[in-house]
Amino acid sequence: MTSIAIPDSVTEISSTVFYGCTSLKSIVMPETIRIIHESAFRDCTSLASIDIPNTVTKIRIRAFGGCTSLANIVIPDSVKEMEAGAFGDCTNLENVVIGNSIDKIDRGTFEYCTNLNSVTIGSSVTIIRENAFRGCSGMKDFAITESVTEIEESAFSGCTGLTNICIPASVTKMGERIFYECAALKTVSILGAVSKLDKGLFEDCTSLETITLGAGIKKIEADAFDGCTGLTS
């Protein structure tokens, strides 16, 4: 099976229904679909593109995980929940647009999307959860919007192509090892309300040269800058 058109009578795509359909190249989903369940398209390694209808409200755990031919994805504003690992290990994914109804980028949502280089996040995102972009080695820039208030552990660890980052004043909480082994990271600005730099926050960021800290910083935890051999100011 290389293509399929889902009939209008379908409102949910069940768990694992297309899991491992490695020959599936295209699928047409009608604007009756509300939920794409866990691992529905997981490891559909030939699936090169998919249009998510603007009727979908939930994308469950690893729904598109391991779809290694996917290059672009647009999450429409209708989607309110996008669960852990939804697009993890999509190694050919380059461009992502996240709609304005998503309030968190869940655990490992784009983990090890190694070609990912453009991400636009919606205006409602408040939390970037742990490992959300871990291992996205092709990503050079990432704009954290001023709606974001919290970034969890290892959210960007192993993003070895990331060169600069600005943490906006809206962010009040940052977890451990967020930028661990971001080897190309050169400049960092942390603005506003963050009061603590947690353990290993910039550990092994060997190219880091300059960091600007906000006036709110009260504590720098152990190993926050361990291995930052290029840090000059």
Side-chain angles (χ1 to χ4, degrees):
M1 180 173 62
T2 59
S3 64
I4 188 169
I6 296 174
D8 292 349
S9 57
V10 176
T11 59
E12 299 184 19
I13 300 177
S14 297
S15 299
T16 69
V17 68
F18 296 106
Y19 189 167
C21 291
T22 56
S23 296
L24 186 63
K25 294 182 178 180
S26 66
I27 186 162
V28 177
M29 290 191 285
E31 293 194 348
T32 54
I33 301 294
R34 299 288 184 270
I35 303 173
I36 302 172
H37 281 282
E38 181 176 349
S39 299
F41 296 97
R42 186 174 177 179
D43 292 345
C44 290
T45 54
S46 297
L47 189 63
S49 65
I50 193 161
D51 292 326
I52 298 174
N54 60 14
T55 53
V56 172
T57 60
K58 296 179 183 180
I59 300 174
R60 296 295 196 191
I61 295 171
R62 294 196 66 82
F64 296 94
C67 290
T68 54
S69 293
L70 270 182
N72 304 284
I73 199 75
V74 176
I75 309 298
D77 289 345
S78 61
V79 177
K80 296 180 180 179
E81 294 181 42
M82 183 169 58
E83 294 184 349
F87 295 93
D89 299 303
C90 291
T91 53
N92 198 51
L93 188 63
E94 295 182 4
N95 303 294
V96 171
V97 177
I98 298 171
N100 291 316
S101 297
I102 297 286
D103 63 359
K104 66 176 178 292
I105 301 176
D106 215 335
R107 291 185 298 271
T109 299
F110 299 102
E111 188 173 23
Y112 297 116
C113 292
T114 51
N115 275 347
L116 187 62
N117 58 53
S118 174
V119 180
T120 303
I121 64 175
S123 58
S124 296
V125 172
T126 59
I127 301 174
I128 301 175
R129 301 206 63 187
E130 79 179 81
N131 299 327
F133 295 97
R134 182 182 182 185
C136 292
S137 54
M139 187 162 60
K140 292 180 172 58
D141 298 287
F142 188 93
I144 300 173
T145 63
E146 292 187 357
S147 62
V148 175
T149 61
E150 182 176 354
I151 305 171
E152 291 188 351
E153 179 180 350
S154 300
F156 296 94
S157 66
C159 291
T160 54
L162 196 64
T163 57
N164 61 81
I165 199 78
C166 180
I167 309 297
S170 59
V171 175
T172 59
K173 187 176 181 182
M174 297 175 67
E176 298 178 6
R177 297 164 71 88
I178 290 173
F179 298 102
Y180 173 63
E181 290 187 340
C182 290
L185 190 63
K186 289 187 176 182
T187 61
V188 174
S189 296
I190 300 177
L191 309 176
V194 173
S195 61
K196 182 176 74 170
L197 302 185
D198 220 325
K199 294 177 183 177
L201 183 61
F202 295 101
E203 186 176 353
D204 289 338
C205 292
T206 53
S207 296
L208 186 61
E209 297 176 354
T210 303
I211 183 163
T212 302
L213 302 179
I217 300 292
K218 293 181 174 61
K219 186 175 184 180
I220 299 176
E221 290 279 11
D223 302 323
F225 297 98
D226 186 36
C228 295
T229 54
L231 192 60
T232 58
S233 64

